[in-house]
Structure formats: structure tokens, C-alpha cells
Amino acid sequence: MEMSQPPAAEADWWRQAVVYQIYPRSFADSGGDGLGDLGGIISRVPYLAWLGIDAVWLSPFYPSARVDGGYDVDDYRDVDPQLGTLADFDEMTARLHGRGIKVIVDIVPNHTSDRHAWFREALAAPKGSPARDRYIFRDGQGRDGAQPPSDWPSTFGGPAWTRVQDGQWYLHLFTERQPDLNWQNREVRDDFLTTLRFWSDRGADGFRVDVAHGLAKNLVEPLERLDGQAALVSPLDGTHPLWDRDEVHGIYAEWRRVFNEYDPPRVGVAEAWVHPSRRSRYASPDGLGQAFNFDLLEANWNAGEFLQVITDNLADAQQHGASTAWVLSNHDVVRHASRYGLPAGDCLSSTQNAKTWLLSNGTSPEPDRGLGLLRARAATLLMLALPGSAYLYQGEELGLHEVADLAPDVLQDPAFLRSGGAEKGRDGCRVPLPWTTGGPSFGFSTRAAHLPQPAWFGPLSVQAQEHDPASTLALYRQALSWRRRFHAAENLEWMPGTNGQVLHFGRPGGWQSVTNFGPRAVPLPHGTVVVASSPVQEGLLPADTTAWVIPPAPDRVARRQSRRYGPASDAVPLIRRDSIGPPPGP
Ligand code: GLC
């Protein structure tokens, strides 16, 4: 078996990188105010290096009123004083780079916050002024313009227009505190190019592009009506007035020119909720380079759905020269350990099904948490064996479940607040991480965390798992370590064992992954198991389990570093706690 090192400083480092998403406010707090910050991330750089990831993506850390968890940005070229300073960003980047970890920052171009200097200027400026033209202001309809300019809805509920004092209305596809920018305005475009250079000059290696499919809008009067059609489902021809219009790619072509000013070129990853057939345009080498593939995240736990998603997306990636960016969890969806513990909903995607369940505060149906975690571990191991890059969400390496029973009075998400409770929102996956088994916030801070953590977080903390070879944390670490060693060309070959309940594929160099989605154990392929998501024995792969197998080839390195049919192997030594982060808070 060929073992090769992952590309380090090469231009295409991102193609098969494992990227760990940090939600800064909930990762680690160094300031003692119960809110995560950059100092907290700095203190945990050893942990990130120990885990074995290639890059981090930081959700927004910019000045913000946090109306939408920081996706309401006051200033794109600064750090929220509650989270740190630009000097902290520089130190964090230097430390991550020092451990070989790249840094991806989140850029939010569709909307600013209502506290952004431009929006305050726009409110103070008259109708038709250049300051208003940076946003989307329009006169209302009806007598005295008292009706909104169009019937467009906000994603978080209610109309997408809010009226200002002089009677005009401004567009906001999210909350009214997130006014949409006018991307037909040259100044807006240029300012974002300045922002991209600002962070690139400071060492950012790439950008995650928020709502990448929303920037170009059809603003020709009269504004097109939606007549209640599902505003988020866009047609395949780029004609929806708000989403996934073809002109949006002109914006990213300009961004690409900025990315290519750097060596290695900066990279973008689009958050584009578009039909799979239109995703590759965002991932084009002339555009952002990568786009999240949410199909796996939407898929229910069954072999057929996973097979379809994998084959379709790999074919698409190959056709367009892109690499697929796989995701199972992020800060916007119910954690996959919880999703897979629910019975699949009729005709519902995994995330929709879980959203409905959340409305019962996680009680109906009663989730099977053990089964959910078993499947989540298997799904992650499968994902990590696929060609392309993989995005992990903080806490999934601990096997965290959704905190589904947060009380209404602690919820922060506008999805809850604006929908009048028709949605529970996304706070349950944003509860701060448990680092230690005890303490005021399980080592997250020296005081209570900004969202309450449940008692069951303690036994799932890093401290509780770091020395346990059967833990989910150990599994992630072993998988990441083996993945690095197995680094291979972006090819996948389905093996004859693939059927209605088993997915079995091989990667170049002899690395094989086999997942049993079915209810009964199946024979393992011939070879040596190097890592498995649950214990395997006597040549059998249990239900809801993935194993990575290498053939019995005379590869000495691989054989020396593996163990025959072991459970999660301990080929990667566990290390002392003091080498992975600061001591627990007082
Ligand atoms: C993206 C973010 C989400 C945010 C929304 C509005 O979808 O992932 O968290 O609420 O954009 O900025």
C-alpha cells in the first residue's frame, strides 16, 4: 500500500482537506464572560493539532449585535471586542499555521447588520441617495406606499421588507436587522474585494461564503411576485428573482482574481442551497473553487440514499474538475448523532425530520441516542473515506447530541424568535463545548456558558474521552490519522460487496471502506481492519458500522501500524491532557 503525505503548501491543499468548523462563541472562553473568544481558540490550538485536522473554518467573529449569531456583521474588517482583537486574530493564525492548520474565515456578503456604518448612513440619507443605493430601498405599494414593495418573505418568517421613517422600505431576506446589500452597486463590490485582501493579507487561507446563492437579485420594476411559491426552492434555469441567479457568478469571478493574487491562491467554499445540478458553478475553478455538498447531510440513514448521493456527486465533481465538500453537521442543523436516532420521516430529509422532532423539545418520538451515535460514527467514517474534503462541526468528535430541550427563555436564534415558536431554531447544536467533566461550564469558561449546557455534557467532555480508546474522540483521531496516511487520488471504485444494505468501496492504494446499514452483521471483506466505528470481531461487520480495511498486501508499514480486527485501533497513541490544552478552569 502506498502511503503519501498530504499536500502541505500546495495550491490545491483544500481539495481533500478535513476542515473543522469552529463556532467561536461556543468553542472556548478565555475572557471569563461565558462567551467563547479568539483567546479560547488560541488556548485550544494544541487540541486541534492533536485531533489531526487540516484547517479550521471560523464562523463570524466580527463586531456584531449577535442578532443572528454573528451573521449580522457591523464591520467586516475587525474583531468583536467581546471576542478579542485583530492582534488576537494574528496570534491565532500564526499558532494554527505553526501547527500546519489552515484558516478559513466566514464572509457574509448578502447582508450587513443594521449597525453597519453604511446602513446608518443610508437611514440618515434621503431617498435616491448614493448611501441608500448600497442597499435595496424601494417605495411601497398601495395608498401612501403603506404596503411592502413586493410579496417576498424573509427566510426567518414575516415579510422581507421593513419600512423606515421617510416611508421607504428596505429588503432583508433574513431578519430586519440584516439589510441586504445591493450587489449591482460597484462600491459594494469593491469594498468586499478590499475585505478579501484584508484577511488574505493577515494570513487567511480561504473564505466560507455565506448565502452565496443570494447576492444577485432581479430588481427590475415591477418587482416579480412570488405568489406564495416556496421562496427557497429555485428553478433550474436561474430565473428566480432572489436565489441562484446566473449573474451571481460574475461576482465570484472577480473574487477569484483576488484569490489568485496570492500564493497559494486563496480558496472559497460556497454555502449555496441550490439544486445539485447547479452547485458546480459555485465550485468552478473560475469561481469560488468549492461548494458545500449538503446532500449527505440531507440523506436519511440508508444505503440507497447514501449510494445515490455519493455516485451523483462524484460524477458531478469529476465532470467539472471540482472536489466534493462533504458535510454531516454544521451550526444550522440538528446534530447527526441525534438525527440518526430518529425513525426516518415519510418523504422527509434527515434535517427536516429532525426539525419537526425539535418542536417536541426532543421528546416525540423518543430518540434512540445509542443507535444515533452508532450510526453517526459509521457515517462519519464513511464520509472520511470519500474522495474530496470533509467539513466537521465542533463537538461532533465528542459524539454530542443536539440539546433539544433548551427552554424558550434561553433561545437566541431568530428562527425561533421570528417564527413565533413555529421553529425551535438552531441553538441546540450551538451549546458550548464541554472540555472537562465538571466545573461551572465543563471547562468552557470560568462561569456559566451563554447557552446552558446539560448535565450529560460532562461524560462526553474531552477530558472524559481523551484517554479512552473506545471513545468517539479516539475514533475521530484515529480516522484522521489514517486518512492522512492513505491520502490518494480522488478516485473511488465500488466493490462487488455493495448492495441494498452494504456500501463497499476502494480508494487508490488499497484503502477500502465498508459500511453496513442493515440490521444484521455481514462478512467483512478479506483484509485487515485498521479502524472501525464499533467493535468488529470474527470477520463480521455489525449493523450500523463502518470499517476501513486494507487488503492483505505485503505492505509492511501498513501492517505494522494496524491491528487485526481490532475495535477502534490504538495505532495512534493517546497523549497526556496537558499537551492538548490549558488546564481546566478553576
Ligand atoms: C447562513 C448561515 C446561517 C445564517 C444565515 C444568514 O445560512 O449559515 O447561520 O443565519 O446564513 O446569514
Side-chain angles (χ1 to χ4, degrees):
M1 161 157 308
E2 271 177 23
M3 302 282 175
S4 62
Q5 290 303 311
E10 286 128 51
D12 62 354
W13 63 266
W14 47 273
R15 290 189 68 95
Q16 299 211 71
V18 175
V19 185
Y20 181 92
Q21 180 189 356
I22 293 180
Y23 192 73
R25 291 170 178 80
S26 297
F27 184 68
D29 172 28
S30 69
D33 60 359
L35 196 66
D37 50 32
L38 298 191
I41 300 173
I42 292 170
S43 74
R44 299 295 178 182
V45 167
Y47 170 77
L48 296 167
W50 176 81
L51 191 56
I53 51 157
D54 302 307
V56 291
W57 146 34
L58 304 181
S59 281
F61 49 77
Y62 314 111
S64 167
R66 295 193 292 283
V67 169
D68 183 15
Y71 285 90
D72 45 321
V73 179
D74 299 349
D75 179 350
Y76 292 88
R77 301 197 279 269
D78 205 350
V79 172
D80 188 332
Q82 267 194 281
L83 271 69
T85 61
L86 283 170
D88 292 332
F89 176 85
D90 294 341
E91 184 185 342
M92 177 196 73
T93 305
R95 294 219 191 179
L96 286 164
H97 284 168
R99 304 300 289 260
I101 299 172
K102 307 269 194 223
V103 177
I104 295 177
V105 299
D106 213 315
I107 206 91
V108 188
N110 181 67
H111 44 267
T112 68
S113 79
D114 62 346
R115 306 198 310 179
H116 191 285
W118 275 358
F119 193 67
R120 287 193 267 116
E121 210 187 308
L123 289 184
K127 247 171 97 162
S129 58
R132 287 221 170 160
D133 189 56
R134 296 184 189 119
Y135 292 90
I136 302 168
F137 279 85
R138 291 291 181 275
D139 290 331
Q141 303 184 97
R143 201 143 56 92
D144 302 329
Q147 297 303 315
S150 73
D151 64 349
W152 298 346
S154 149
T155 308
F156 292 139
W161 296 96
T162 289
R163 202 166 195 199
V164 300
Q165 248 183 353
D166 65 12
Q168 276 211 304
W169 299 73
Y170 68 89
L171 181 71
H172 51 88
L173 293 184
F174 294 89
T175 74
E176 73 279 12
R177 311 266 322 256
Q178 294 165 293
D180 279 40
L181 285 164
N182 173 17
W183 276 86
Q184 293 170 14
N185 179 308
R186 190 63 246 174
E187 194 188 351
V188 168
R189 289 190 177 224
D190 286 342
D191 195 69
F192 271 86
L193 300 183
T194 304
T195 296
L196 296 177
R197 289 196 182 97
F198 178 87
W199 293 109
S200 298
D201 290 345
R202 293 196 102 93
D205 302 282
F207 299 88
R208 179 263 186 189
V209 184
D210 189 66
V211 196
H213 56 310
L215 278 49
K217 298 173 177 89
N218 180 9
L219 299 174
V220 173
E221 306 279 349
L223 298 176
E224 207 177 308
R225 290 186 60 80
L226 287 176
D227 288 326
Q229 60 168 293
L232 280 171
V233 182
S234 33
L236 301 186
D237 57 2
T239 58
H240 193 281
L242 303 174
W243 305 112
D244 191 27
R245 295 182 65 79
D246 293 344
E247 310 92 87
V248 80
H249 300 292
I251 297 169
Y252 301 131
E254 288 187 4
W255 289 26
R256 169 53 56 187
R257 286 195 280 280
V258 173
F259 292 169
N260 289 350
E261 290 168 8
Y262 293 86
D263 181 22
R266 296 333 189 210
V267 63
V269 55
E271 184 216 22
W273 291 90
V274 299
H275 189 273
S277 64
R278 294 188 49 95
R279 190 182 297 131
S280 56
R281 298 163 153 239
Y282 294 84
S284 145
D286 303 326
L288 294 173
Q290 235 187 3
F292 288 125
N293 178 331
F294 294 123
D295 299 353
L296 207 54
L297 169 147
E298 299 282 8
N300 290 294
W301 178 251
N302 76 61
E305 283 192 42
F306 271 59
L307 178 64
Q308 183 84 50
V309 164
I310 295 167
T311 44
D312 287 357
N313 282 288
L314 291 182
D316 191 64
Q318 200 167 34
Q319 190 187 343
H320 296 98
S323 85
T324 309
W326 305 104
V327 190
L328 287 169
S329 278
N330 65 27
H331 67 295
D332 287 332
V333 297
V334 171
R335 287 184 177 278
H336 64 290
S338 295
R339 297 202 312 267
Y340 296 149
L342 298 170
D346 287 343
C347 308
L348 285 181
S349 70
S350 165
T351 53
Q352 281 302 332
N353 188 36
K355 247 175 137 176
T356 312
W357 163 78
L358 261 191
L359 285 172
S360 71
N361 293 323
T363 56
S364 174
E366 192 68 49
D368 185 335
R369 288 165 72 95
L371 182 66
L373 181 56
L374 193 68
R375 290 176 169 174
R377 290 167 56 124
T380 300
L381 206 53
L382 184 161
M383 174 178 78
L384 289 173
L386 294 172
S389 67
Y391 282 73
L392 309 177
Y393 177 51
Q394 67 176 41
E396 65 169 83
E397 79 277 21
L398 304 177
L400 291 189
H401 281 271
E402 187 81 1
V403 184
D405 56 354
L406 288 170
D409 60 335
V410 303
L411 296 178
Q412 303 171 3
D413 187 356
F416 169 75
L417 303 170
R418 281 183 61 99
S419 68
E423 286 196 27
K424 180 84 192 261
R426 301 160 294 178
D427 293 304
C429 65
R430 300 175 178 181
V431 175
L433 290 194
W435 293 94
T436 59
T437 52
S441 50
F442 301 111
F444 165 74
S445 173
T446 50
R447 53 178 284 179
H450 67 98
L451 275 169
Q453 301 155 298
W456 51 262
F457 261 34
L460 293 175
S461 63
V462 173
Q463 187 181 36
Q465 298 194 40
E466 65 188 315
H467 298 297
D468 175 2
S471 68
T472 302
L473 182 55
L475 173 70
Y476 270 69
R477 232 182 125 234
Q478 289 154 12
L480 295 178
S481 172
W482 278 108
R483 178 183 157 105
R484 217 167 248 254
R485 286 176 228 180
F486 288 154
H487 184 79
E490 293 170 44
N491 302 326
L492 173 152
E493 185 192 351
W494 290 108
M495 309 296 271
T498 295
N499 59 35
Q501 72 173 46
V502 174
L503 297 190
H504 180 193
F505 56 85
R507 298 285 311 278
W511 174 22
Q512 294 179 25
S513 173
V514 54
T515 304
N516 180 6
F517 289 79
R520 274 175 298 281
V522 296
L524 269 164
H526 193 44
T528 302
V529 173
V530 294
V531 53
S533 64
S534 63
V536 296
Q537 43 192 298
E538 291 165 14
L540 289 177
L541 182 66
D544 299 310
T545 301
T546 296
W548 289 357
V549 181
I550 52 175
D555 182 278
R556 302 172 101 163
V557 183
R559 274 199 309 181
R560 240 188 293 124
Q561 289 171 336
S562 62
R563 202 169 73 182
R564 194 164 173 77
Y565 298 152
S569 117
D570 59 1
V572 187
L574 296 170
I575 62 169
R576 297 196 330 271
R577 92 139 282 107
D578 59 0
S579 59
I580 63 169

